[in-house]
Amino acid sequence: MPRPCYFRLPLLGLLCFLLAPIPRAASAQEVDNRALTPPMGWNSWNKFGCDVSDQLIRETADAMVSSGMQEAGYAYVVIDDCWQVDRDSEGNIVIDAERFPFGMKALADYVHSKGLKFGIYSDAGLATCQGRPGSRGYEFQDARQYAEWGVDYLKYDWCNTSTQDAPASYTLMRQALDASGRSIVFSICEWGSNKPWLWAPGIGHLWRTTGDIQNCWDCRREWGGMGFVHILDLQDGLESYAGPGHWNDPDMLEVGNDGLTITESRAHFSLWALLASPLMAGNDLRSMQPEIVDILTNKEVIAVNQDVLGRQGRKVRDDGDLEVWAKDLHDGSRAVVLFNRSAEERQMEVRWPEIGYTNSMDALVRDLWKHEDLGTFQGAYSAAVPSHGVVMLKITP
Ligand code: GLA
């Protein structure tokens, strides 16, 4: 109960004004612990595009459990674009009834019954990137609808936004989600166009930093899509903007989509883990080869991604095709990725001073793909790294 102020008595009024506590906006973290570590899950887009359905989502939820992915930490099952076809006369969003005959509530209930969380997609503009109805002008109505269905995660795209202001548009939907009364993770997808790392913390829990990832090592599409190494290059320098509750998002994983070799897939997954990136699988979980399951469920690599300190890894050395990346972990140890982009196997080295240790320090080195302690080393550790591959280490003084 605020203290009464005596504004009729000028001196007392002034005293009251000076002594009253200054109202302080609650920081994002105080009110919101929805994504204290990077969200993990699956999204339909990379593999299925518009070919989404109730059956696909149910089978994917089943596979997330039976493959061991749920146990490894994956939680969100997210339907991307194309589930929506229209609005009714009252402005309610209309679901594609052929593909989702039981409605979204029943589907969300099914996903929840597996102990998983349910996510959906919309767009801040008049239409989504595939021309389906966007949420512009319907933000509060849509958010209320999502909450009624039991949605836990919203990916919000940026197509057909004309001259809309990005921070204002995303703030509006964030307010609508908050007003819906349901706790919903908010994934901002405006491709880094408006430098979201500068304004999105406190609005979204994650924000895309680039155009769309493509299922390839280093291809580039005319419209802006690109292979994973180009996306990686664009993350360098963004590390200070990420932290618990607010993550840079270099886009969903292409592991298991056959455009990358197993060695490249391991590199992609290791680097996304080191970047504290959201780990959203983008492949068909119902038909994974054992090597793909091994990559997606490597618990030691996932532990690096989910480390409670919430630091994003950074590039500590760039020798052309040979790059050393490192991430501080909560116990004072470091995760290190030696990444060889060249066409031949190369010997690579991480030196202690570049990860914040002194040369004279003894440190235990563990290989996170071999699941093997390699011994105690002083000053540096070197290893042969395959072409287009990584060696991923945990170094503990
Ligand atoms: C944009 C997004 C993608 C995907 C598609 C769907 O391109 O960046 O991740 O959501 O739209 O149309």
Side-chain angles (χ1 to χ4, degrees):
M1 187 77 165
R3 278 169 297 159
C5 268
Y6 303 99
F7 288 107
R8 297 228 176 102
L9 305 170
L11 204 63
L12 267 177
L14 180 69
L15 249 179
C16 244
F17 175 75
L18 291 175
L19 293 177
I22 299 166
R24 188 173 57 92
S27 79
Q29 232 167 299
E30 279 168 345
V31 294
D32 186 353
N33 58 5
R34 268 163 255 181
L36 294 180
T37 60
M40 293 176 66
W42 173 89
N43 173 300
S44 54
W45 184 253
N46 283 358
K47 174 71 183 176
F48 297 97
C50 272
D51 195 10
V52 288
S53 66
D54 180 277
Q55 189 184 350
L56 170 68
I57 301 306
R58 284 174 196 249
E59 289 177 1
T60 298
D62 293 347
M64 193 178 270
V65 177
S66 62
S67 63
M69 286 181 69
Q70 179 185 39
E71 215 241 308
Y74 295 83
Y76 294 95
V77 178
V78 182
I79 313 176
D80 208 280
D81 208 345
C82 301
W83 58 268
Q84 64 287 67
V85 285
D86 204 353
R87 289 199 182 270
D88 68 16
S89 57
E90 288 168 352
N92 298 309
I93 192 78
V94 176
I95 302 163
D96 183 332
E98 261 172 47
R99 289 175 172 268
F100 296 92
F102 312 110
M104 284 301 168
K105 172 90 174 72
L107 186 51
D109 287 349
Y110 184 81
V111 171
H112 290 148
S113 76
K114 300 274 154 184
L116 298 167
K117 295 182 174 177
F118 181 64
I120 213 163
Y121 161 102
S122 189
D123 186 288
L126 290 170
T128 72
C129 297
Q130 300 306 309
R132 308 303 175 94
S135 287
R136 183 172 173 187
Y138 297 91
E139 292 83 358
F140 283 78
Q141 190 170 355
D142 283 355
R144 260 198 313 275
Q145 177 70 89
Y146 303 153
E148 275 167 29
W149 286 339
V151 167
D152 306 297
Y153 182 110
L154 174 68
K155 172 175 169 183
Y156 205 48
D157 217 336
W158 191 238
C159 278
N160 304 300
T161 47
S162 176
T163 58
Q164 276 174 247
D165 176 67
S169 302
Y170 283 98
T171 300
L172 186 61
M173 186 43 112
R174 172 60 191 252
Q175 287 166 346
L177 293 175
D178 286 348
S180 79
R182 190 170 170 89
S183 175
I184 297 176
V185 168
F186 190 30
S187 157
I188 292 177
C189 176
E190 58 76 80
W191 324 305
S193 321
N194 298 277
K195 297 196 168 71
W197 44 90
L198 297 179
W199 50 265
I203 301 174
H205 302 93
L206 56 157
W207 52 83
R208 282 272 300 277
T209 54
T210 67
D212 291 6
I213 194 166
Q214 297 296 288
N215 184 18
C216 60
W217 164 260
D218 66 351
C219 64
R220 277 190 194 279
R221 311 278 183 237
E222 260 170 36
W223 49 270
M226 63 196 114
F228 99 82
V229 293
H230 295 311
I231 292 198
L232 176 69
D233 291 341
L234 294 169
Q235 308 314 304
D236 189 20
L238 297 184
E239 51 274 356
S240 62
Y241 300 104
H246 52 281
W247 308 102
N248 288 306
D249 175 6
D251 209 357
M252 301 164 302
L253 295 162
E254 290 286 8
V255 173
N257 282 339
D258 293 339
L260 300 171
T261 65
I262 290 297
T263 302
E264 291 169 348
S265 300
R266 225 175 264 134
H268 174 29
F269 192 71
S270 302
L271 286 156
W272 262 227
L274 195 97
L275 288 169
S277 162
L279 294 180
M280 301 298 283
N283 57 319
D284 189 342
L285 304 191
R286 304 166 303 177
S287 55
M288 292 188 277
Q289 296 303 312
E291 312 86 70
I292 296 300
V293 178
D294 281 353
I295 293 174
L296 290 173
T297 60
N298 182 327
K299 289 187 184 165
E300 295 196 69
V301 173
I302 291 172
V304 168
N305 177 260
Q306 295 289 302
D307 185 78
V308 291
L309 189 60
R311 289 279 171 82
Q312 176 170 326
R314 67 196 195 290
K315 185 155 61 172
V316 298
R317 184 150 40 90
D318 188 336
D319 295 334
D321 277 342
L322 307 183
E323 297 177 356
V324 181
W325 291 74
K327 179 185 199 287
D328 294 358
L329 302 175
H330 77 279
D331 60 357
S333 64
R334 309 282 190 252
V336 169
V337 172
L338 307 175
F339 182 32
N340 173 10
R341 298 166 73 139
S342 81
E344 289 97 39
E345 179 181 289
R346 300 283 287 272
Q347 195 68 25
M348 291 185 67
E349 179 177 71
V350 50
R351 302 165 196 147
W352 282 195
E354 60 200 6
I355 54 171
Y357 297 159
T358 58
N359 262 322
S360 58
M361 241 175 189
D362 284 330
L364 180 70
V365 177
R366 182 171 175 80
D367 187 310
L368 302 188
W369 286 106
K370 289 187 181 149
H371 304 294
E372 209 177 279
D373 286 337
L374 303 171
T376 300
F377 294 81
Q378 201 180 56
Y381 173 78
S382 90
V385 185
S387 161
H388 286 198
V390 294
V391 165
M392 186 165 184
L393 307 165
K394 184 170 174 187
I395 303 185
T396 312

